[in-house]
Amino acid sequence: MEPAGMFQQGIYCLHLVEQELLLFAAFWVLVGTVDEMAVDCCWAWFRLSGRASTGRISLEVSRAPLKGHAAVLIACWQEEQVIAHTIRHALSAWRQTGFTLYIGCYGNDSATVAPRCRGRGVTTASGSSFMTAKARLPRRIA
């Protein structure tokens, strides 16, 4: 067989493999779409029939003291510009005391958390690929 014929046969085989993979992918995209539509239709039916509702918390309950200790995790990646504001907002929105604020970032992104936490009683522990800052922060951060 001459080289040009082998090349054409190779291209034809690649085309067949491409068609099979496209058919395989299309089948699973269709299965996923049908599944999503079924879930959406069930949710719409439950909402319209009144069997599913959104719970509401009263103002009194939202300001009541916690019945136990709570933990809040803020995961960060390259957020040195906004993390200080995020921490201040979390502390102002969470009015109760008795919670621990965890701020996590990857070890190669220490610029995000470490400078913001110094001088605020925050201890940092770094692992192989993840660093966590943990403390019971005061109600206000200056």
Side-chain angles (χ1 to χ4, degrees):
M1 185 180 268
E2 61 186 76
M6 287 177 54
F7 180 74
Q8 291 293 342
Q9 190 173 8
I11 294 294
Y12 178 72
C13 288
L14 283 176
H15 180 70
L16 287 178
V17 168
E18 177 188 23
Q19 293 296 316
E20 287 295 320
L21 289 174
L22 182 62
L23 184 62
F24 181 77
F27 171 76
W28 288 110
V29 166
L30 180 65
V31 167
T33 302
V34 168
D35 176 55
E36 287 294 321
M37 292 300 294
V39 169
D40 290 344
C41 289
C42 287
W43 174 246
W45 173 256
F46 287 140
R47 286 292 287 184
L48 292 174
S49 66
R51 289 187 233 168
S53 62
T54 304
R56 303 279 184 211
I57 298 175
S58 67
L59 190 58
E60 296 82 31
V61 171
S62 71
R63 292 187 176 163
L66 295 174
K67 294 182 180 177
H69 193 76
V72 177
L73 170 68
I74 300 175
C76 304
W77 172 249
Q78 296 180 349
E79 298 188 37
E80 60 272 0
Q81 301 293 323
V82 297
I83 191 63
H85 174 72
T86 302
I87 293 170
R88 277 195 298 274
H89 178 72
L91 292 174
S92 68
W94 196 284
R95 300 182 189 273
Q96 296 89 349
T97 58
F99 70 94
T100 302
L101 184 61
Y102 291 94
I103 303 164
C105 72
Y106 287 93
N108 62 351
D109 188 28
S110 60
T112 298
V113 174
R116 304 296 188 256
C117 296
R118 283 191 201 115
R120 294 188 177 100
V122 177
T123 59
T124 60
S126 68
S128 59
S129 64
F130 195 76
M131 181 181 81
T132 302
K134 171 192 169 190
R136 291 181 188 204
L137 296 173
R139 293 299 304 152
R140 291 187 201 104
I141 292 183

